[in-house]
Amino acid sequence: MLLLLFSGLCQGEVPIISHVFDATAGQSVVQQTFDLWIDGPGLWSFGALAPDGLAFVDQEGQITGEGLLLSGTGFMQSSCLLEAHFDLHLLGEGTHTLGLQVGLEGAEGILGLAIASGYWILPLKSDRVRVEREGVGQLSLPSGQWFLLEEADAVFHGEQEAWLPRSDIETAELTAQVGSIELWWGSSSRLWQAGDRDKVTLYLRGPSPAGELVLRCAPHVRLGAHWSLDGQDLGCEQGSNGGWILHLPSLAEGDHELTGVVQTLLPPTSGQAEIQALWQGVEAFLPIMIGRSWFDYDGLQRIQVDTHSPLLLPSGRIRSTSGRGSVSVEDEGLNVVIPLDDPTKPIWVGTGIAESILWSP
């Protein structure tokens, strides 16, 4: 999990944006809108400084760790977009808190940020920002310190009311629903056999903001490369150990179906494997029971051989027929009898068909 902090020059409570990524993805990109209200007599610039592991796209379209997000002349009020790039290889697994420092030069202003916890404002190079709150009166805000607004608050810069678009308030409301996101797999009570291939369905309940859904699987399960959400194909990136990273759009209210194909491979023993889905900090697991069908032909087998080579049995004993004859093999599951004169020609046992073949290694 990554926690992105927007910080000014002063200490205090700051807004935190949290995201969950698959650390093996290498790189990940997050977009966040913010509002900017600036009042200045001439040229001004608004820039940012990022720590290691975090970069952003500057006003020239370049990915950098330090640079200008926006510049201009005189008065401006607008909604802007921050595109943040995370180096997951550098950060590694675990929870990381990254602080993005922002600053304004050449003017006074206010930065507005709508996230799950509410709408935050940050006075920039100004001690003239105040909030009028019903039942409380005027609250003077120090420069460089974040403040969480309430719904009916009015924001002023000097005697002028600062109109902030609050453009991302809808996204903030969706983000606030993350804690109640529901995620579950469709029923899978069937017994899978080695080599089976079938469709599976993951259900997601919106609303939810856009983001990355991570799929992971056990060693003896193979996830297909094509996944669709409500019938629409999704962009996918290869994850770790056969997993996938799916890029999901924002989800409207209601239930949504994510479908893909899964194939089971041959495990050393029959048992349970599972597929894990991780979305917006919520996990869901799909248990898959994998049998070995005829690979688990158990008991005593009598195989027919035609060889003068000594035979090494799975139990470690050595038998010889001196030509054509039969050999009894006690074993559980798929295994081999090895002709010691030519080990490159093993005799496969543990299957029903093994007794119907004349083996001539």
Side-chain angles (χ1 to χ4, degrees), residues 40-74:
L43 294 174
W44 53 263
S45 60
F46 178 66
L49 174 64
D52 291 341
L54 172 64
F56 57 89
V57 177
D58 65 14
Q59 66 176 356
E60 303 298 330
Q62 302 298 314
I63 300 176
T64 181
E66 181 178 5
L68 296 181
L69 291 168
L70 203 64
S71 61
T73 304

PDB file of all heavy atoms in Angstrom, residues 40-74:
ATOM      1  N   GLY A  40      -2.156  37.236  -8.085  1.00  0.00           N
ATOM      2  CA  GLY A  40      -0.822  37.833  -8.100  1.00  0.00           C
ATOM      3  C   GLY A  40      -0.729  38.942  -9.133  1.00  0.00           C
ATOM      4  O   GLY A  40      -1.453  38.934 -10.133  1.00  0.00           O
ATOM      5  N   PRO A  41       0.188  39.883  -8.941  1.00  0.00           N
ATOM      6  CA  PRO A  41       0.313  41.023  -9.861  1.00  0.00           C
ATOM      7  C   PRO A  41       1.074  40.699 -11.138  1.00  0.00           C
ATOM      8  O   PRO A  41       0.980  41.433 -12.124  1.00  0.00           O
ATOM      9  CB  PRO A  41       1.085  42.043  -9.024  1.00  0.00           C
ATOM     10  CG  PRO A  41       1.922  41.203  -8.100  1.00  0.00           C
ATOM     11  CD  PRO A  41       1.102  39.989  -7.791  1.00  0.00           C
ATOM     12  N   GLY A  42       1.841  39.635 -11.129  1.00  0.00           N
ATOM     13  CA  GLY A  42       2.680  39.350 -12.291  1.00  0.00           C
ATOM     14  C   GLY A  42       2.877  37.863 -12.487  1.00  0.00           C
ATOM     15  O   GLY A  42       1.971  37.048 -12.266  1.00  0.00           O
ATOM     16  N   LEU A  43       4.093  37.489 -12.896  1.00  0.00           N
ATOM     17  CA  LEU A  43       4.399  36.085 -13.160  1.00  0.00           C
ATOM     18  C   LEU A  43       4.422  35.279 -11.864  1.00  0.00           C
ATOM     19  O   LEU A  43       4.922  35.746 -10.839  1.00  0.00           O
ATOM     20  CB  LEU A  43       5.758  35.970 -13.856  1.00  0.00           C
ATOM     21  CG  LEU A  43       5.862  36.561 -15.273  1.00  0.00           C
ATOM     22  CD1 LEU A  43       7.309  36.507 -15.750  1.00  0.00           C
ATOM     23  CD2 LEU A  43       4.957  35.796 -16.234  1.00  0.00           C
ATOM     24  N   TRP A  44       3.902  34.089 -11.926  1.00  0.00           N
ATOM     25  CA  TRP A  44       3.935  33.180 -10.786  1.00  0.00           C
ATOM     26  C   TRP A  44       4.188  31.756 -11.278  1.00  0.00           C
ATOM     27  O   TRP A  44       4.004  31.439 -12.460  1.00  0.00           O
ATOM     28  CB  TRP A  44       2.637  33.239  -9.974  1.00  0.00           C
ATOM     29  CG  TRP A  44       1.383  33.030 -10.787  1.00  0.00           C
ATOM     30  CD1 TRP A  44       0.565  33.995 -11.300  1.00  0.00           C
ATOM     31  CD2 TRP A  44       0.827  31.772 -11.198  1.00  0.00           C
ATOM     32  NE1 TRP A  44      -0.468  33.440 -12.004  1.00  0.00           N
ATOM     33  CE2 TRP A  44      -0.334  32.066 -11.956  1.00  0.00           C
ATOM     34  CE3 TRP A  44       1.184  30.451 -11.008  1.00  0.00           C
ATOM     35  CZ2 TRP A  44      -1.131  31.074 -12.522  1.00  0.00           C
ATOM     36  CZ3 TRP A  44       0.395  29.448 -11.564  1.00  0.00           C
ATOM     37  CH2 TRP A  44      -0.743  29.770 -12.305  1.00  0.00           C
ATOM     38  N   SER A  45       4.593  30.888 -10.355  1.00  0.00           N
ATOM     39  CA  SER A  45       4.833  29.482 -10.697  1.00  0.00           C
ATOM     40  C   SER A  45       4.439  28.601  -9.518  1.00  0.00           C
ATOM     41  O   SER A  45       4.659  28.956  -8.359  1.00  0.00           O
ATOM     42  CB  SER A  45       6.300  29.250 -11.063  1.00  0.00           C
ATOM     43  OG  SER A  45       7.151  29.577  -9.980  1.00  0.00           O
ATOM     44  N   PHE A  46       3.868  27.459  -9.841  1.00  0.00           N
ATOM     45  CA  PHE A  46       3.436  26.486  -8.835  1.00  0.00           C
ATOM     46  C   PHE A  46       4.174  25.177  -9.118  1.00  0.00           C
ATOM     47  O   PHE A  46       4.018  24.585 -10.193  1.00  0.00           O
ATOM     48  CB  PHE A  46       1.923  26.283  -8.902  1.00  0.00           C
ATOM     49  CG  PHE A  46       1.392  25.262  -7.933  1.00  0.00           C
ATOM     50  CD1 PHE A  46       1.444  25.480  -6.566  1.00  0.00           C
ATOM     51  CD2 PHE A  46       0.833  24.077  -8.394  1.00  0.00           C
ATOM     52  CE1 PHE A  46       0.950  24.541  -5.667  1.00  0.00           C
ATOM     53  CE2 PHE A  46       0.335  23.133  -7.504  1.00  0.00           C
ATOM     54  CZ  PHE A  46       0.394  23.368  -6.138  1.00  0.00           C
ATOM     55  N   GLY A  47       5.004  24.743  -8.161  1.00  0.00           N
ATOM     56  CA  GLY A  47       5.841  23.570  -8.389  1.00  0.00           C
ATOM     57  C   GLY A  47       5.720  22.534  -7.296  1.00  0.00           C
ATOM     58  O   GLY A  47       5.013  22.715  -6.301  1.00  0.00           O
ATOM     59  N   ALA A  48       6.430  21.419  -7.488  1.00  0.00           N
ATOM     60  CA  ALA A  48       6.377  20.309  -6.531  1.00  0.00           C
ATOM     61  C   ALA A  48       7.735  19.634  -6.440  1.00  0.00           C
ATOM     62  O   ALA A  48       8.554  19.708  -7.365  1.00  0.00           O
ATOM     63  CB  ALA A  48       5.311  19.298  -6.938  1.00  0.00           C
ATOM     64  N   LEU A  49       7.954  18.972  -5.312  1.00  0.00           N
ATOM     65  CA  LEU A  49       9.174  18.208  -5.062  1.00  0.00           C
ATOM     66  C   LEU A  49       8.767  16.848  -4.513  1.00  0.00           C
ATOM     67  O   LEU A  49       8.051  16.765  -3.513  1.00  0.00           O
ATOM     68  CB  LEU A  49      10.075  18.939  -4.064  1.00  0.00           C
ATOM     69  CG  LEU A  49      11.330  18.195  -3.598  1.00  0.00           C
ATOM     70  CD1 LEU A  49      12.276  17.954  -4.769  1.00  0.00           C
ATOM     71  CD2 LEU A  49      12.035  18.975  -2.486  1.00  0.00           C
ATOM     72  N   ALA A  50       9.222  15.770  -5.172  1.00  0.00           N
ATOM     73  CA  ALA A  50       8.824  14.413  -4.794  1.00  0.00           C
ATOM     74  C   ALA A  50      10.005  13.649  -4.206  1.00  0.00           C
ATOM     75  O   ALA A  50      11.153  13.872  -4.595  1.00  0.00           O
ATOM     76  CB  ALA A  50       8.276  13.670  -6.011  1.00  0.00           C
ATOM     77  N   PRO A  51       9.750  12.714  -3.292  1.00  0.00           N
ATOM     78  CA  PRO A  51      10.823  11.875  -2.737  1.00  0.00           C
ATOM     79  C   PRO A  51      11.172  10.739  -3.704  1.00  0.00           C
ATOM     80  O   PRO A  51      10.508  10.545  -4.729  1.00  0.00           O
ATOM     81  CB  PRO A  51      10.196  11.330  -1.449  1.00  0.00           C
ATOM     82  CG  PRO A  51       8.740  11.231  -1.784  1.00  0.00           C
ATOM     83  CD  PRO A  51       8.440  12.403  -2.692  1.00  0.00           C
ATOM     84  N   ASP A  52      12.200   9.965  -3.362  1.00  0.00           N
ATOM     85  CA  ASP A  52      12.577   8.810  -4.177  1.00  0.00           C
ATOM     86  C   ASP A  52      11.410   7.829  -4.264  1.00  0.00           C
ATOM     87  O   ASP A  52      10.718   7.570  -3.276  1.00  0.00           O
ATOM     88  CB  ASP A  52      13.792   8.106  -3.570  1.00  0.00           C
ATOM     89  CG  ASP A  52      15.059   8.948  -3.674  1.00  0.00           C
ATOM     90  OD1 ASP A  52      15.075   9.875  -4.502  1.00  0.00           O
ATOM     91  OD2 ASP A  52      16.013   8.677  -2.918  1.00  0.00           O
ATOM     92  N   GLY A  53      11.208   7.288  -5.442  1.00  0.00           N
ATOM     93  CA  GLY A  53      10.111   6.354  -5.655  1.00  0.00           C
ATOM     94  C   GLY A  53       8.862   7.001  -6.209  1.00  0.00           C
ATOM     95  O   GLY A  53       7.923   6.314  -6.611  1.00  0.00           O
ATOM     96  N   LEU A  54       8.832   8.335  -6.228  1.00  0.00           N
ATOM     97  CA  LEU A  54       7.671   9.073  -6.721  1.00  0.00           C
ATOM     98  C   LEU A  54       8.135  10.131  -7.710  1.00  0.00           C
ATOM     99  O   LEU A  54       9.140  10.806  -7.491  1.00  0.00           O
ATOM    100  CB  LEU A  54       6.925   9.734  -5.554  1.00  0.00           C
ATOM    101  CG  LEU A  54       5.792  10.705  -5.909  1.00  0.00           C
ATOM    102  CD1 LEU A  54       4.666   9.982  -6.636  1.00  0.00           C
ATOM    103  CD2 LEU A  54       5.262  11.381  -4.642  1.00  0.00           C
ATOM    104  N   ALA A  55       7.416  10.271  -8.800  1.00  0.00           N
ATOM    105  CA  ALA A  55       7.671  11.325  -9.784  1.00  0.00           C
ATOM    106  C   ALA A  55       6.324  11.826 -10.286  1.00  0.00           C
ATOM    107  O   ALA A  55       5.273  11.255  -9.975  1.00  0.00           O
ATOM    108  CB  ALA A  55       8.523  10.802 -10.935  1.00  0.00           C
ATOM    109  N   PHE A  56       6.344  12.906 -11.057  1.00  0.00           N
ATOM    110  CA  PHE A  56       5.104  13.468 -11.575  1.00  0.00           C
ATOM    111  C   PHE A  56       5.370  14.077 -12.949  1.00  0.00           C
ATOM    112  O   PHE A  56       6.521  14.293 -13.348  1.00  0.00           O
ATOM    113  CB  PHE A  56       4.533  14.521 -10.619  1.00  0.00           C
ATOM    114  CG  PHE A  56       5.483  15.654 -10.317  1.00  0.00           C
ATOM    115  CD1 PHE A  56       5.524  16.795 -11.120  1.00  0.00           C
ATOM    116  CD2 PHE A  56       6.348  15.579  -9.231  1.00  0.00           C
ATOM    117  CE1 PHE A  56       6.403  17.830 -10.849  1.00  0.00           C
ATOM    118  CE2 PHE A  56       7.235  16.612  -8.952  1.00  0.00           C
ATOM    119  CZ  PHE A  56       7.268  17.738  -9.761  1.00  0.00           C
ATOM    120  N   VAL A  57       4.298  14.343 -13.669  1.00  0.00           N
ATOM    121  CA  VAL A  57       4.412  14.958 -14.989  1.00  0.00           C
ATOM    122  C   VAL A  57       4.340  16.474 -14.826  1.00  0.00           C
ATOM    123  O   VAL A  57       3.374  17.003 -14.272  1.00  0.00           O
ATOM    124  CB  VAL A  57       3.292  14.464 -15.921  1.00  0.00           C
ATOM    125  CG1 VAL A  57       3.366  15.174 -17.272  1.00  0.00           C
ATOM    126  CG2 VAL A  57       3.389  12.954 -16.113  1.00  0.00           C
ATOM    127  N   ASP A  58       5.380  17.185 -15.298  1.00  0.00           N
ATOM    128  CA  ASP A  58       5.405  18.643 -15.145  1.00  0.00           C
ATOM    129  C   ASP A  58       4.631  19.319 -16.276  1.00  0.00           C
ATOM    130  O   ASP A  58       4.031  18.653 -17.133  1.00  0.00           O
ATOM    131  CB  ASP A  58       6.848  19.147 -15.065  1.00  0.00           C
ATOM    132  CG  ASP A  58       7.640  18.913 -16.350  1.00  0.00           C
ATOM    133  OD1 ASP A  58       7.026  18.611 -17.404  1.00  0.00           O
ATOM    134  OD2 ASP A  58       8.880  19.041 -16.314  1.00  0.00           O
ATOM    135  N   GLN A  59       4.650  20.646 -16.293  1.00  0.00           N
ATOM    136  CA  GLN A  59       3.853  21.384 -17.271  1.00  0.00           C
ATOM    137  C   GLN A  59       4.364  21.213 -18.702  1.00  0.00           C
ATOM    138  O   GLN A  59       3.652  21.516 -19.658  1.00  0.00           O
ATOM    139  CB  GLN A  59       3.814  22.870 -16.913  1.00  0.00           C
ATOM    140  CG  GLN A  59       5.141  23.587 -17.003  1.00  0.00           C
ATOM    141  CD  GLN A  59       5.007  25.078 -16.737  1.00  0.00           C
ATOM    142  OE1 GLN A  59       3.905  25.595 -16.556  1.00  0.00           O
ATOM    143  NE2 GLN A  59       6.129  25.780 -16.705  1.00  0.00           N
ATOM    144  N   GLU A  60       5.584  20.699 -18.859  1.00  0.00           N
ATOM    145  CA  GLU A  60       6.128  20.433 -20.185  1.00  0.00           C
ATOM    146  C   GLU A  60       5.852  19.000 -20.641  1.00  0.00           C
ATOM    147  O   GLU A  60       6.272  18.597 -21.726  1.00  0.00           O
ATOM    148  CB  GLU A  60       7.638  20.689 -20.197  1.00  0.00           C
ATOM    149  CG  GLU A  60       8.044  22.092 -19.774  1.00  0.00           C
ATOM    150  CD  GLU A  60       7.491  23.154 -20.707  1.00  0.00           C
ATOM    151  OE1 GLU A  60       7.308  22.853 -21.912  1.00  0.00           O
ATOM    152  OE2 GLU A  60       7.229  24.279 -20.238  1.00  0.00           O
ATOM    153  N   GLY A  61       5.178  18.226 -19.783  1.00  0.00           N
ATOM    154  CA  GLY A  61       4.878  16.847 -20.135  1.00  0.00           C
ATOM    155  C   GLY A  61       5.982  15.867 -19.813  1.00  0.00           C
ATOM    156  O   GLY A  61       5.920  14.704 -20.224  1.00  0.00           O
ATOM    157  N   GLN A  62       6.992  16.297 -19.057  1.00  0.00           N
ATOM    158  CA  GLN A  62       8.112  15.442 -18.697  1.00  0.00           C
ATOM    159  C   GLN A  62       7.893  14.836 -17.308  1.00  0.00           C
ATOM    160  O   GLN A  62       7.362  15.494 -16.411  1.00  0.00           O
ATOM    161  CB  GLN A  62       9.421  16.237 -18.709  1.00  0.00           C
ATOM    162  CG  GLN A  62       9.743  16.890 -20.043  1.00  0.00           C
ATOM    163  CD  GLN A  62       9.930  15.875 -21.154  1.00  0.00           C
ATOM    164  OE1 GLN A  62      10.621  14.868 -20.975  1.00  0.00           O
ATOM    165  NE2 GLN A  62       9.321  16.129 -22.304  1.00  0.00           N
ATOM    166  N   ILE A  63       8.335  13.586 -17.143  1.00  0.00           N
ATOM    167  CA  ILE A  63       8.255  12.928 -15.838  1.00  0.00           C
ATOM    168  C   ILE A  63       9.482  13.323 -15.025  1.00  0.00           C
ATOM    169  O   ILE A  63      10.619  13.107 -15.456  1.00  0.00           O
ATOM    170  CB  ILE A  63       8.176  11.403 -15.993  1.00  0.00           C
ATOM    171  CG1 ILE A  63       6.933  11.008 -16.796  1.00  0.00           C
ATOM    172  CG2 ILE A  63       8.153  10.726 -14.626  1.00  0.00           C
ATOM    173  CD1 ILE A  63       6.830   9.527 -17.078  1.00  0.00           C
ATOM    174  N   THR A  64       9.267  13.905 -13.863  1.00  0.00           N
ATOM    175  CA  THR A  64      10.365  14.427 -13.065  1.00  0.00           C
ATOM    176  C   THR A  64      10.048  14.306 -11.584  1.00  0.00           C
ATOM    177  O   THR A  64       8.898  14.092 -11.201  1.00  0.00           O
ATOM    178  CB  THR A  64      10.629  15.910 -13.421  1.00  0.00           C
ATOM    179  OG1 THR A  64      11.726  16.394 -12.653  1.00  0.00           O
ATOM    180  CG2 THR A  64       9.400  16.764 -13.132  1.00  0.00           C
ATOM    181  N   GLY A  65      11.062  14.459 -10.760  1.00  0.00           N
ATOM    182  CA  GLY A  65      10.865  14.457  -9.316  1.00  0.00           C
ATOM    183  C   GLY A  65      10.828  15.854  -8.733  1.00  0.00           C
ATOM    184  O   GLY A  65      10.486  16.038  -7.561  1.00  0.00           O
ATOM    185  N   GLU A  66      11.171  16.866  -9.544  1.00  0.00           N
ATOM    186  CA  GLU A  66      11.157  18.258  -9.097  1.00  0.00           C
ATOM    187  C   GLU A  66      10.924  19.152 -10.301  1.00  0.00           C
ATOM    188  O   GLU A  66      11.629  19.049 -11.304  1.00  0.00           O
ATOM    189  CB  GLU A  66      12.475  18.622  -8.414  1.00  0.00           C
ATOM    190  CG  GLU A  66      12.534  20.049  -7.905  1.00  0.00           C
ATOM    191  CD  GLU A  66      13.840  20.367  -7.197  1.00  0.00           C
ATOM    192  OE1 GLU A  66      14.732  19.493  -7.191  1.00  0.00           O
ATOM    193  OE2 GLU A  66      13.958  21.484  -6.649  1.00  0.00           O
ATOM    194  N   GLY A  67       9.922  20.022 -10.208  1.00  0.00           N
ATOM    195  CA  GLY A  67       9.648  20.894 -11.341  1.00  0.00           C
ATOM    196  C   GLY A  67       8.346  21.644 -11.181  1.00  0.00           C
ATOM    197  O   GLY A  67       7.692  21.594 -10.136  1.00  0.00           O
ATOM    198  N   LEU A  68       7.961  22.353 -12.241  1.00  0.00           N
ATOM    199  CA  LEU A  68       6.757  23.179 -12.227  1.00  0.00           C
ATOM    200  C   LEU A  68       5.549  22.379 -12.700  1.00  0.00           C
ATOM    201  O   LEU A  68       5.600  21.698 -13.727  1.00  0.00           O
ATOM    202  CB  LEU A  68       6.943  24.399 -13.125  1.00  0.00           C
ATOM    203  CG  LEU A  68       8.034  25.398 -12.719  1.00  0.00           C
ATOM    204  CD1 LEU A  68       8.072  26.561 -13.703  1.00  0.00           C
ATOM    205  CD2 LEU A  68       7.803  25.896 -11.299  1.00  0.00           C
ATOM    206  N   LEU A  69       4.474  22.498 -11.942  1.00  0.00           N
ATOM    207  CA  LEU A  69       3.206  21.919 -12.354  1.00  0.00           C
ATOM    208  C   LEU A  69       2.404  22.898 -13.202  1.00  0.00           C
ATOM    209  O   LEU A  69       1.653  22.494 -14.094  1.00  0.00           O
ATOM    210  CB  LEU A  69       2.385  21.508 -11.128  1.00  0.00           C
ATOM    211  CG  LEU A  69       2.922  20.332 -10.311  1.00  0.00           C
ATOM    212  CD1 LEU A  69       2.179  20.229  -8.983  1.00  0.00           C
ATOM    213  CD2 LEU A  69       2.779  19.034 -11.091  1.00  0.00           C
ATOM    214  N   LEU A  70       2.580  24.190 -12.899  1.00  0.00           N
ATOM    215  CA  LEU A  70       1.789  25.213 -13.583  1.00  0.00           C
ATOM    216  C   LEU A  70       2.475  26.560 -13.405  1.00  0.00           C
ATOM    217  O   LEU A  70       3.117  26.815 -12.382  1.00  0.00           O
ATOM    218  CB  LEU A  70       0.379  25.262 -12.978  1.00  0.00           C
ATOM    219  CG  LEU A  70      -0.756  25.839 -13.825  1.00  0.00           C
ATOM    220  CD1 LEU A  70      -0.998  24.976 -15.058  1.00  0.00           C
ATOM    221  CD2 LEU A  70      -2.034  25.938 -12.995  1.00  0.00           C
ATOM    222  N   SER A  71       2.330  27.431 -14.392  1.00  0.00           N
ATOM    223  CA  SER A  71       2.828  28.804 -14.272  1.00  0.00           C
ATOM    224  C   SER A  71       1.906  29.719 -15.061  1.00  0.00           C
ATOM    225  O   SER A  71       1.177  29.277 -15.952  1.00  0.00           O
ATOM    226  CB  SER A  71       4.273  28.913 -14.784  1.00  0.00           C
ATOM    227  OG  SER A  71       4.352  28.559 -16.158  1.00  0.00           O
ATOM    228  N   GLY A  72       1.931  31.012 -14.709  1.00  0.00           N
ATOM    229  CA  GLY A  72       1.046  31.936 -15.395  1.00  0.00           C
ATOM    230  C   GLY A  72       1.288  33.365 -14.961  1.00  0.00           C
ATOM    231  O   GLY A  72       2.299  33.683 -14.314  1.00  0.00           O
ATOM    232  N   THR A  73       0.317  34.228 -15.277  1.00  0.00           N
ATOM    233  CA  THR A  73       0.407  35.646 -14.946  1.00  0.00           C
ATOM    234  C   THR A  73      -0.921  36.120 -14.375  1.00  0.00           C
ATOM    235  O   THR A  73      -1.987  35.815 -14.932  1.00  0.00           O
ATOM    236  CB  THR A  73       0.734  36.482 -16.199  1.00  0.00           C
ATOM    237  OG1 THR A  73       1.942  36.001 -16.786  1.00  0.00           O
ATOM    238  CG2 THR A  73       0.902  37.946 -15.843  1.00  0.00           C
ATOM    239  N   GLY A  74      -0.864  36.838 -13.250  1.00  0.00           N
ATOM    240  CA  GLY A  74      -2.062  37.436 -12.683  1.00  0.00           C
ATOM    241  C   GLY A  74      -3.006  36.434 -12.046  1.00  0.00           C
ATOM    242  O   GLY A  74      -2.611  35.362 -11.582  1.00  0.00           O
TER     243      GLY A  74
END
